[in-house]
Amino acid sequence: MQSALRTGELTKNQYVMRSKYIFLLFLPLFMIALLPSCDESTGSVGIGMIEDDDIVTPGRKTFPIELENMLVDKDSVSNKSLLAYVGKFTDETFGELETSYMTQLFCLDDFRFDFDRIVKDTVWENGPGSAIKSFDFKDVSCYIDLRYDDFFGDSINPCQLEVYRLNKDLQADDMESYADPEEYYDKESGFLGRVAYTAANTSLDEDDRTATKDIIVALPEEYATEILNANYFHPEYFSDADAFIENVFKGMYVRQSMGNGTILYVNNSSLNINFTMYVDSAGVYPIKRKTPGYTDQDSTSIYSVSFNSTREVLQANQFANVFNESIINDTEHVYMKAPAGIYTSVKIPIGKLASELAEDTIMGVRLSVKAYRNEDGPYEMDLPNDILLVKKSEAYEFFRQNELPDNLSSYVATLNTGDNTYVFNNIASIITSSIADYRTGNDGVIDENAVEEYVLIPVDVTVTSDSSSSSTETTSVRTTMKPIYAKLPKSGNVIEVSYIRLGGF
């Protein structure tokens, strides 16, 4: 028999039935209005006029579901993230996590240094008056600044990181899957610098530490001189960010080379060039150098220009997980572990639903999962704030196409901190569409043992607010790269299905 299982679509019989049902809702008021002209013999008028099959009966059933660990292939994970992550952390429960990143740097359109005001000596081809070969800039220096305001792990753990110069362009496709840094830099020729650090910036006095911290990697001044001269002799290299990346600086790779126990959340990476400029007597505003014959001392000051990682350029995170066998083989629990290590697979028996509710209309499907925190080890990972539910077969494309949850084929649930649960209040649409798709591919028949697999994925959700209308809008959903995790019970999980049925049971 062809099933009547569906959501939101009325057949002709249902339309008539609902019209009669609405009439019944108003029947008591109608009868009260007519009470003075009625006798006891008309007390059941209306009820007897409706056939039993036209009465709507609501119902609710629970169906057991299976949860399993789903180890994630890093090649299938989108690397898009506003933050960059660098460090290494070994967790007693999960094992090892190591993170690094590559990033391009942004250049303003038609950017030019003010060479008239920069203190420099001219290097001539064949003595003064001949062609200019290059410039010798005064008090020039160069450094990389990695700025962060949060981290995971040990704040005073001694670490060391290294920075390398990329020799190959990052591509947009590199954001959609794992990009191997070994293919983008040369460990010998690309080395820019290294520095020892602690996440708490213990190199500074405690009174000088702020919430926003910087790791400074000093570079040889030749890099600054190279960029300054390139700007003078080839201004076309600075016409826009693409030209700058292609011809001047393709980007950098940042990795931790020593230390274990800390992962930084870097919100800005920059290449900074310092140089000396002539200024007015107050030492504030740059002015052109004094005209010939001027006898007073010229005033100078140090200025700086930064090329930063921004939304307009590419940034790719890399990560490597080595999980403990006890997690993979856990028979009592399943896990959601980020960055992109383990997702939770949710197997829903769509064949059983279709069979048991063959003559009914599904109105709602509720899924609730309980999460537990990690209580092992000195550093407790946070629970994911938001998780995404989507078909396993569609999970990769969801992120690749920058999709947003539509509450039809994808859903987001936010952690209820009161009882540490994630609740999807109504996922009926994705269930009924799965049943319909299965039938379409099987000559209209669904196997009673058919199962559809979905996944729960920790995500970062970006929401923007409109102050004029006090409304909010989700503008971005991306896979989480922070070290977070949730432990879920493997058994005893169900979905609650509410439905309506014509006639009695």
Side-chain angles (χ1 to χ4, degrees):
M1 177 182 294
Q2 184 71 20
S3 170
L5 191 62
R6 54 201 175 275
T7 297
E9 181 180 351
L10 298 179
T11 65
K12 180 178 180 181
N13 288 338
Q14 285 180 299
Y15 182 84
V16 173
M17 173 274 296
R18 291 194 178 184
S19 298
K20 294 178 179 179
Y21 188 64
I22 293 171
F23 171 76
L24 282 178
L25 293 177
F26 287 95
L27 183 59
L29 295 177
F30 179 73
M31 294 180 66
I32 291 173
L34 297 178
L35 189 60
S37 61
C38 295
D39 57 32
E40 294 182 0
S41 64
T42 60
S44 62
V45 171
I47 296 294
M49 297 169 59
I50 299 178
E51 300 293 335
D52 289 342
D53 288 345
D54 288 334
I55 297 176
V56 175
T57 305
R60 184 183 299 272
K61 281 190 176 184
T62 60
F63 293 83
I65 60 175
E66 294 183 26
L67 300 185
E68 292 185 357
N69 283 332
M70 175 183 165
L71 294 181
V72 182
D73 181 356
K74 63 186 179 182
D75 291 330
S76 66
V77 177
S78 171
N79 293 315
K80 292 178 181 178
S81 175
L82 298 179
L83 291 176
Y85 302 88
V86 60
K88 185 176 182 180
F89 187 88
T90 299
D91 181 79
E92 295 180 9
T93 301
F94 286 99
E96 294 183 0
L97 167 65
E98 187 169 0
T99 61
S100 60
Y101 70 97
M102 297 183 287
T103 186
Q104 297 174 335
L105 301 177
F106 181 72
C107 174
L108 292 172
D109 290 353
D110 299 317
F111 172 78
R112 293 299 302 274
F113 291 96
D114 191 346
F115 290 99
D116 287 341
R117 297 184 174 98
I118 295 178
V119 181
K120 60 188 181 300
D121 289 333
T122 304
V123 179
W124 308 97
E125 288 281 3
N126 297 300
S130 62
I132 299 174
K133 182 178 180 180
S134 63
F135 293 102
D136 181 13
F137 300 95
K138 302 304 178 185
D139 299 317
V140 68
S141 62
C142 189
Y143 64 93
I144 288 171
D145 184 356
L146 309 179
R147 179 160 293 185
Y148 63 99
D149 52 23
D150 199 5
F151 63 91
F152 174 76
D154 190 344
S155 64
I156 59 174
N157 174 48
C159 300
Q160 177 181 276
L161 61 76
E162 296 176 340
V163 181
Y164 295 86
R165 188 171 184 171
L166 302 184
N167 57 21
K168 177 182 175 182
D169 291 340
L170 286 172
Q171 304 294 330
D173 286 346
D174 296 329
M175 307 302 103
E176 308 301 344
S177 60
Y178 184 81
D180 186 356
E182 298 290 336
E183 299 179 6
Y184 293 83
Y185 80 100
D186 182 274
K187 197 166 187 178
E188 300 300 326
S189 63
F191 181 76
L192 292 175
R194 66 166 60 96
V195 66
Y197 72 94
T198 62
N201 265 5
T202 52
S203 59
L204 300 177
D205 292 336
E206 189 170 352
D207 292 340
D208 295 331
R209 299 174 197 168
T210 61
T212 299
K213 304 173 180 64
D214 299 88
I215 294 177
I216 303 299
V217 184
L219 306 185
E221 67 177 60
E222 64 190 65
Y223 293 109
T225 300
E226 173 191 332
I227 292 175
L228 283 161
N229 274 298
N231 187 255
Y232 182 85
F233 290 100
H234 296 281
E236 70 276 11
Y237 291 174
F238 297 78
S239 59
D240 55 31
D242 290 339
F244 175 80
I245 292 166
E246 177 65 27
N247 299 287
V248 182
F249 195 82
K250 295 186 182 300
M252 56 187 180
Y253 172 54
V254 183
R255 63 180 291 268
Q256 185 159 305
S257 52
M258 290 181 59
N260 187 342
T262 308
I263 293 180
L264 303 180
Y265 304 164
V266 180
N267 53 40
N268 185 64
S269 307
S270 63
L271 173 65
N272 303 268
I273 300 174
N274 292 347
F275 48 88
T276 303
M277 294 186 72
Y278 294 104
V279 297
D280 67 3
S281 58
V284 178
Y285 300 104
I287 61 172
K288 289 185 178 181
R289 188 170 185 170
K290 305 298 186 294
T291 57
Y294 192 81
T295 58
D296 288 350
Q297 180 75 28
D298 286 337
S299 295
T300 60
S301 183
I302 300 294
Y303 281 78
S304 181
V305 168
S306 298
F307 300 94
N308 299 276
S309 58
T310 67
R311 293 174 182 266
E312 291 81 8
V313 294
L314 301 178
Q315 179 171 275
N317 286 286
Q318 287 74 44
F319 47 86
N321 288 290
V322 180
F323 290 111
N324 294 333
E325 288 296 321
S326 59
I327 291 295
I328 298 174
N329 299 323
D330 192 339
T331 58
E332 297 182 359
H333 303 94
V334 296
Y335 300 87
M336 288 184 289
K337 171 67 171 63
I342 303 176
Y343 296 159
T344 296
S345 166
V346 182
K347 296 183 177 180
I348 296 180
I350 60 172
K352 190 173 182 180
L353 267 73
S355 175
E356 294 192 18
L357 304 176
E359 300 303 325
D360 307 314
T361 300
I362 289 180
M363 303 303 294
V365 179
R366 185 177 187 270
L367 170 64
S368 174
V369 292
K370 177 77 173 180
Y372 299 94
R373 291 183 179 275
N374 181 17
E375 298 177 354
D376 299 327
Y379 302 102
E380 181 178 301
M381 297 184 195
D382 290 333
L383 293 173
N385 187 65
D386 298 289
I387 61 174
L388 173 76
L389 173 72
V390 66
K391 278 186 179 182
K392 179 181 178 180
S393 59
E394 299 175 0
Y396 178 64
E397 283 301 308
F398 178 91
F399 297 104
R400 186 177 180 85
Q401 300 299 328
N402 294 314
E403 295 182 24
L404 297 175
D406 57 9
N407 293 325
L408 295 173
S409 60
S410 55
Y411 306 78
V412 166
T414 299
L415 177 68
N416 183 333
T417 56
D419 58 3
N420 286 345
T421 59
Y422 300 94
V423 179
F424 297 91
N425 284 308
N426 191 359
I427 59 171
S429 179
I430 198 172
I431 301 299
T432 54
S433 67
S434 295
I435 293 172
D437 291 345
Y438 190 99
R439 282 202 178 100
T440 299
N442 292 274
D443 298 325
V445 179
I446 184 166
D447 186 340
E448 187 173 348
N449 297 316
V451 173
E452 182 67 72
E453 192 169 359
Y454 309 86
V455 288
L456 299 176
I457 304 172
V459 291
D460 291 328
V461 178
T462 302
V463 177
T464 57
S465 300
D466 186 343
S467 57
S468 61
S469 61
S470 300
S471 63
T472 59
E473 179 183 4
T474 299
T475 55
S476 172
V477 174
R478 294 177 175 173
T479 51
T480 296
M481 296 294 172
K482 291 182 179 180
I484 57 177
Y485 113 108
K487 179 169 65 176
L488 315 174
K490 188 170 186 177
S491 61
N493 298 286
V494 299
I495 55 171
E496 301 175 7
V497 180
S498 58
Y499 58 93
I500 57 174
R501 176 174 296 180
L502 299 181
F505 284 83

